[in-house]
Amino acid sequence: MTPPHHNRRRIATLCLLGALILYVVSIWYQGRFPALEYVSAFAEAAMIGGIADWFAVTALFRHPLGLKIPHTAIIPRNRARLGRSLSGFIRENFLSETYVRDSVRRFDVAGALVSWLSRPDRRAMVAERLTQAMSTSLSAVRQSAAREFLTRTLRHHLGRINTSRLMGSALSVLAAEGRHQALLDDSLARLSRWLDVEDNQERVKHFITDTVFKLFNPRVMGREVSMHRLAGWLINERIVEQSARLISEVSDDPDHPLRHHLDRQFADFIERLRHDPAFVRRLDRLRDDLLDNDRLSHYVAGVWEELMDWLARDLTAQDSQSRAWLEHFIDYYARTLEHDAPAREWLNEQAVTLLPALVERNGPRIDAYIQRYLDSLDSDEIVDQIEKNVGNDLQFIRINGTLVGGLIGLAIHALTQLMLTL
């Protein structure tokens, strides 16, 4: 199929040829029909206008008639400069932080996401794509070279972690504004409810009896006397009940002395993490021992391989649990966004905060990418692309130049004759 701009080029060329034929015919018969001088004036100006516009349009893309006339083949000759100008224009106008922020603020990101995820087939498609991506990534990671590289990298970075500083910072955040007390309250409440169950009390009694008091079987008159009954009675009547009572008291009393004791111990532990060199060295030694422990490494590697085997099988199964979980999560996320206006507002705020800065930071990279792409193109490719997109309008310039030039020539000739008769 012939491109539209090629058809327009033929029409423009035919207009120019028509003006030429009209000029020749009008000159030939002008002696017999003096009025044809107006036609010849029209045709002459039309040819001049058509040729001038043909030259201008052609000079944009190539040398007219192959003659290397100065200031022709403008686009191929200035390809690099045009590429820099184009990429700079895009970066400064379309990728500027201000423009992107205004665009994102006008665009309801959360609403668009909810609308797009409203259809079940789209949610299933997202889950399927994520599952495929996970499967591909897992296959790449499980290759021996990648696995060895990741293992070395992980061990290297874990070995450089400042364990005491990391633990100290995490516990300090937990201790801020009494958050550790809230965690303690929840733990004590759960433990108290658990110990209120009679079966759980029996489990505790049997555990302590079998693991602790079994060791204390004294000898009387050379014979070993079992302490099981005495131990069971002590546990049943004293230890378990007293422990449950103490846990309940601490849970119900925000000002219990044991809480203050735990607070002091917690603060002392954080202080040691930060300022006790011996304790810091002990933690670092423990970290290094764990990393250098071959048995532990083999065990962790075995567990990891089993997990990866299961995940690899699951990701490719027809009834994949991972895919089902992803679909459930996406469905829950979409329904939550749909009915939770504050959540949508928060998501839009995050988009306004993060996307403009992200685009601004990567603007130079996008600029360089556009320039590299344009530099990689052949001059003929660039010319073909531009002609394909704007060539239709450029050929209309030639057509209009022929017609408008002829009308102007006709008007000038008519005015000249009018002035001569006055």
Side-chain angles (χ1 to χ4, degrees):
M1 183 175 179
T2 305
H5 67 276
H6 286 175
N7 292 331
R8 296 293 182 273
R9 181 184 298 171
R10 291 195 185 98
I11 294 174
T13 303
L14 288 175
C15 287
L16 183 58
L17 289 175
L20 174 61
I21 294 171
L22 188 61
Y23 178 76
V24 171
V25 171
S26 62
I27 291 295
W28 184 267
Y29 290 103
Q30 188 173 327
R32 295 171 59 184
F33 305 100
L36 288 178
E37 64 181 19
Y38 289 94
V39 177
S40 65
F42 170 85
E44 182 180 8
M47 285 191 298
I48 294 172
I51 293 172
D53 284 336
W54 166 81
F55 183 89
V57 170
T58 304
L60 285 173
F61 304 105
R62 54 187 63 86
H63 297 292
L65 302 177
L67 302 174
K68 294 187 178 181
I69 303 171
H71 306 294
T72 58
I74 295 172
I75 291 175
R77 187 164 47 84
N78 296 278
R79 182 183 64 179
R81 183 170 59 84
L82 291 172
R84 288 194 299 271
S85 300
L86 176 62
S87 60
F89 175 79
I90 293 174
R91 177 169 57 85
E92 293 173 6
N93 293 276
F94 298 104
L95 302 179
S96 66
E97 187 172 357
T98 302
Y99 178 80
V100 175
R101 180 180 292 107
D102 292 340
S103 300
V104 174
R105 187 176 285 113
R106 289 193 301 269
F107 183 69
D108 182 9
V109 175
L113 182 61
V114 169
S115 176
W116 194 84
L117 290 176
S118 61
R119 287 172 45 179
D121 59 321
R122 288 175 176 170
R123 296 196 294 269
M125 181 188 70
V126 173
E128 180 66 26
R129 296 289 174 81
L130 289 174
T131 304
Q132 292 175 358
M134 291 170 60
S135 180
T136 303
S137 301
L138 183 61
S139 299
V141 169
R142 298 193 70 189
Q143 295 178 9
S144 58
R147 185 171 62 247
E148 291 174 2
F149 171 76
L150 291 174
T151 301
R152 289 196 307 270
T153 303
L154 183 62
R155 288 174 65 91
H156 171 74
H157 287 290
L158 287 176
R160 299 183 59 168
I161 289 178
N162 191 323
T163 313
S164 58
R165 180 181 298 174
L166 181 63
M167 290 179 63
S169 300
L171 294 178
S172 296
V173 171
L174 189 63
E177 301 178 3
R179 292 188 182 95
H180 65 300
Q181 288 290 354
L183 182 61
L184 177 63
D185 287 340
D186 183 69
S187 302
L188 290 174
R190 291 175 183 273
L191 183 58
S192 179
R193 289 195 298 269
W194 190 82
L195 285 175
D196 284 340
V197 180
E198 186 175 348
D199 290 344
N200 293 335
Q201 292 182 9
E202 290 296 326
R203 291 190 184 95
V204 173
K205 287 186 292 185
H206 286 301
F207 173 76
I208 298 178
T209 299
D210 292 340
T211 58
V212 178
F213 287 95
K214 188 183 293 185
L215 302 175
F216 300 97
N217 295 329
R219 292 180 177 276
V220 179
M221 303 293 291
R223 300 183 62 183
E224 188 177 83
V225 178
S226 174
M227 298 289 287
H228 280 81
R229 292 187 178 181
L230 176 60
W233 177 80
L234 288 172
I235 294 169
N236 184 39
E237 300 298 329
R238 294 290 182 267
I239 297 178
V240 174
E241 292 182 3
Q242 292 296 329
S243 299
R245 187 178 297 113
L246 177 62
I247 291 171
S248 180
E249 291 175 357
V250 175
S251 178
D252 296 336
D253 184 5
D255 201 39
H256 195 280
L258 185 56
R259 285 181 179 271
H260 296 302
H261 176 71
L262 291 174
D263 266 342
R264 290 192 296 272
Q265 294 295 321
F266 198 68
D268 289 342
F269 184 69
I270 294 175
E271 189 69 16
R272 292 186 66 189
L273 284 172
R274 289 178 168 177
H275 304 294
D276 187 344
F279 192 65
V280 171
R281 286 195 297 272
R282 195 181 310 165
L283 285 176
D284 289 341
R285 255 196 326 271
L286 177 62
R287 176 202 64 201
D288 295 338
D289 290 342
L290 289 174
L291 290 175
D292 294 335
N293 190 313
D294 292 335
R295 294 182 61 184
L296 178 62
S297 298
H298 290 315
Y299 174 77
V300 172
V303 173
W304 177 256
E305 282 300 320
E306 290 180 6
L307 176 62
M308 292 298 101
D309 287 339
W310 174 85
L311 186 58
R313 291 192 300 271
D314 181 72
L315 290 173
T316 56
Q318 291 292 335
D319 56 343
S320 171
Q321 297 181 34
S322 302
R323 184 167 56 250
W325 181 87
L326 284 171
E327 289 183 10
H328 174 76
F329 173 78
I330 294 169
D331 180 65
Y332 171 79
Y333 183 72
R335 284 187 286 104
T336 300
L337 278 181
E338 183 178 3
H339 298 99
D340 192 340
R344 292 198 303 273
E345 184 178 350
W346 176 85
L347 183 60
N348 286 330
E349 289 176 355
Q350 296 307 306
V352 171
T353 302
L354 298 176
L355 291 179
L358 179 64
V359 173
E360 180 74 15
R361 284 198 304 270
N362 290 279
R365 294 188 180 90
I366 299 173
D367 188 352
Y369 171 78
I370 295 174
Q371 289 191 42
R372 285 198 302 272
Y373 175 75
L374 292 175
D375 290 341
S376 67
L377 293 177
D378 183 75
S379 297
D380 293 337
E381 289 182 84
I382 297 178
V383 169
D384 288 340
Q385 288 296 321
I386 296 176
E387 282 190 314
K388 187 182 297 182
N389 289 279
V390 300
N392 207 25
D393 294 327
L394 293 176
Q395 298 309 317
F396 271 116
I397 291 176
R398 291 181 56 195
I399 296 171
N400 292 336
T402 303
L403 296 176
V404 172
L407 293 174
I408 293 174
L410 178 60
I412 293 174
H413 181 75
L415 288 174
T416 302
Q417 293 300 318
L418 178 62
M419 294 296 293
L420 290 175
T421 58
L422 292 178

